[in-house]
Amino acid sequence: MADLPSGIGLPLTITVSAPLSALPYAILPDMARVLAYRLATDRDLYATLGEWVKPDAVPDAEAQLVIAAVRAVGEDWGHGPGAILPVLQRLNRWVDQGTHTRTQALNAAGMLDQLEIQDGEGKVPSAADVAAELVPLLKTRARRDVLLEGAKLAIAQVDLSSIVPRIESIEAMGVTSTDIGDGEEGLFDVGATLASYSSTGIPEADAVTGGGYLRGTVSLIAADTGGAKSMMAVQAFAATVLSGGDALFATIENPLAEVKARFLAYVTGVPTNTIRSGSGLAMAQRIFQGIPRGGYRFQEWEDGGVSAADLQKWLRLYEAKTKRKVHTLVVDGVYHMIPTPGRSAYAQENSYNMGGRVMQGLVNLAKSDDVAIVATSHVKRSDMRPIKAPDGTLIPSKNDLADSQHRARKASLVLTMAIRKDDVTGIKYSYFAVAKARYNGDLDVIGPLETDLACARVAQPLMATSLAPQELPWG
């Protein structure tokens, strides 16, 4: 009999009972499906259990396929998918390769769809609950497996030291970090956290939202066509740059040249039409060069051809090359991140659910890279059930986001917008409703704010104090 390493809690004599078959399934089919869904969408749970949950550990065919896809993505990426979309893409690859049928993949996708909807309704156990329920079972199975392996090695008179790391990792199952959290030494860091906002560029909006767009979260600007949501996105981008911070602007909905023209018009006060025509471009350039500012980049992306992973690569490449931290990432036209027909085997899938997955990817990006993500989304006029501003102006409400509800659910802050033209004076005014404020601000109505569409200003710009006392031609 081979000697066991000292300090390892295995018996010196191992009695092997026959047969050495796997334990009967102890994970119910419904729990197996929840486990597969949570492994796909929660990177922390994947880090905790991903190594230990193999497809044959669950009795449900769809759950087995999803777990296999999750593990394949995890092995390639070095971490869990964090969203459903990469899992669907892996299933699509397997269908193309002929290793699985389209029916199998669609059944697995349908399972994930159903669970995502139920999750939004609060009917699915949380990742923490799944871990609490299954870690003891998985530990029992893993201990049994290593005992069986140790028994075989002992019978063969082979040194057992190779199983020591496995025993240690089994006992550490469920522990994702050696950090026990903050105590008094980190208690007073809360001020820095609460100050981590990117301004909206509008003092009134900053006031009611508690500071603007909170870093580490996704904020959604929603409006009907012509509701100036893209200009509001430009204003958020410019506010960060003018305050000395760094910002990235990803445009999917509007041409790159138009976004640049609006940015220049906002900052310099030179009308966009003269910048477009070229007659005001030289003046805008002279003014712009005299304005202190942070770093920035624009990028135009293909409709349906960009993912949160693409945006993360772009952001990290910028930070690596400039050695500067990105504070704000604007995504103009988040709906267009949903894969378009012809680019996915799941083109027939409901865009409601796909939109939720896209937003979840952005939420994961915001958290992992500590960046304020500001996204714009469309509201269909036919779906509107608006609220009224004090002067009677109708503004989209949270209930108006019928075509964006999943995106609104994932966002931490939702601002809806409307623009009204005064029939007497011809002046245009903007109105905002804080439709959702998870961490900051009050549910409130902002407006009327005088709007200068010629200079792409939804409202009077919030100038950074670093610009004073320089006199700028704000028009």
Side-chain angles (χ1 to χ4, degrees):
M1 179 69 69
D3 292 334
L4 290 168
S6 62
I8 301 302
L10 291 175
L12 292 177
T13 302
I14 301 176
T15 302
V16 181
S17 59
L20 298 179
S21 58
L23 287 173
Y25 286 122
I27 301 177
L28 297 175
D30 285 347
M31 179 58 83
R33 291 177 167 229
V34 172
L35 172 61
Y37 169 72
R38 289 299 184 199
L39 285 173
T41 57
D42 193 289
R43 287 182 177 172
D44 288 339
L45 184 67
Y46 179 87
T48 303
L49 300 182
E51 175 186 356
W52 304 102
V53 179
K54 298 179 180 179
D56 60 2
V58 298
D60 182 83
E62 284 77 24
Q64 288 178 351
L65 186 54
V66 169
I67 290 172
V70 168
R71 287 172 61 91
V73 172
E75 289 171 3
D76 288 347
W77 290 10
H79 55 73
I84 291 176
L85 197 56
V87 178
L88 295 181
Q89 184 60 50
R90 187 56 57 105
L91 294 175
N92 184 35
R93 182 194 299 185
W94 289 348
V95 171
D96 291 341
Q97 294 172 345
T99 58
H100 293 82
T101 67
R102 188 170 300 278
T103 298
Q104 288 176 318
L106 289 174
N107 286 343
M111 180 199 83
L112 292 173
D113 281 346
Q114 183 181 27
L115 284 166
E116 187 172 40
I117 293 172
Q118 293 175 349
D119 190 21
E121 297 170 348
K123 297 179 180 178
V124 178
S126 68
D129 291 339
V130 171
E133 181 64 27
L134 295 184
V135 163
L137 171 62
L138 293 172
K139 277 190 174 182
T140 298
R141 287 188 172 187
R143 287 178 183 132
R144 176 184 179 277
D145 290 343
V146 80
L147 282 172
L148 292 177
E149 183 178 341
K152 293 176 182 178
L153 293 175
I155 292 171
Q157 298 292 305
V158 176
D159 180 41
L160 298 178
S161 60
S162 62
I163 67 173
V164 174
R166 290 191 59 193
I167 296 172
E168 293 174 343
S169 62
I170 290 170
E171 297 312 311
M173 187 190 306
V175 179
T176 59
S177 173
T178 57
D179 184 0
I180 62 172
D182 283 349
E184 185 173 338
E185 69 279 1
L187 180 62
F188 300 100
D189 292 340
V190 65
T193 302
L194 296 177
S196 297
Y197 288 88
S198 292
S199 172
T200 64
I202 302 171
E204 294 86 349
D206 285 351
V208 299
T209 58
Y213 305 117
L214 181 63
R215 291 171 197 164
T217 70
V218 177
S219 299
L220 189 69
I221 303 171
D224 191 13
T225 301
K229 56 187 178 293
S230 293
M231 282 197 290
M232 183 66 177
V234 169
Q235 191 146 344
F237 175 81
T240 296
V241 174
L242 290 176
S243 66
D246 286 45
L248 302 179
F249 196 107
T251 177
I252 315 171
E253 187 165 89
N254 291 292
L256 186 60
E258 178 63 21
V259 173
K260 291 179 178 178
R262 290 178 178 179
F263 173 65
L264 281 172
Y266 175 88
V267 173
T268 65
V270 178
T272 53
N273 63 336
T274 65
I275 293 175
R276 293 191 202 101
S277 68
S279 61
L281 191 56
M283 178 182 292
Q285 185 175 5
R286 286 196 303 271
I287 297 171
F288 186 75
Q289 288 176 344
I291 299 176
R293 57 191 180 276
Y296 60 93
R297 289 292 187 277
F298 302 93
Q299 181 94 307
E300 185 172 3
W301 300 84
E302 183 181 359
D303 186 351
V306 59
S307 67
D310 295 324
L311 295 175
Q312 185 176 56
K313 289 178 183 178
W314 179 39
L315 183 151
R316 291 183 177 180
L317 180 61
Y318 173 88
E319 291 184 337
K321 286 192 172 184
T322 63
K323 309 299 182 185
R324 294 172 63 92
K325 176 76 177 73
V326 174
H327 300 95
T328 304
L329 169 62
V330 174
V331 182
D332 188 18
V334 69
Y335 178 83
H336 297 284
M337 291 180 67
I338 298 174
T340 55
R343 292 196 182 98
S344 169
Y346 306 98
Q348 71 273 31
E349 190 177 9
N350 192 321
S351 63
Y352 174 90
N353 297 321
M354 294 292 284
R357 292 176 193 143
V358 166
M359 281 293 288
Q360 185 60 55
L362 293 179
V363 169
N364 294 339
L365 169 56
K367 290 180 179 178
S368 64
D369 289 58
D370 190 31
V371 61
I373 296 182
V374 181
T376 66
S377 184
H378 183 251
V379 177
K380 292 181 181 177
R381 186 177 296 276
S382 60
D383 293 329
M384 283 192 176
R385 294 176 292 276
I387 59 177
K388 287 186 178 181
D391 64 357
T393 299
L394 300 180
I395 312 170
S397 69
K398 184 179 179 182
N399 292 330
D400 297 327
L401 304 178
D403 62 323
S404 305
Q405 188 175 354
H406 248 36
R407 296 190 283 284
R409 180 177 292 142
K410 302 288 185 181
S412 296
L413 174 69
V414 178
L415 293 176
T416 58
M417 293 182 61
I419 289 184
R420 179 182 66 84
K421 180 179 180 180
D422 189 300
D423 294 333
V424 177
T425 64
I427 297 175
K428 293 185 177 180
Y429 296 94
S430 294
Y431 297 79
F432 302 88
V434 182
K436 177 183 178 181
R438 179 178 296 167
Y439 299 119
N440 53 333
D442 303 314
L443 300 181
D444 205 349
V445 174
I446 310 164
L449 303 175
E450 187 171 338
T451 300
D452 181 5
L453 297 182
C455 291
R457 295 173 181 169
V458 176
Q460 181 63 23
L462 176 64
M463 292 298 297
T465 55
S466 60
L467 297 182
Q470 182 177 1
E471 188 174 336
L472 294 174
W474 287 106

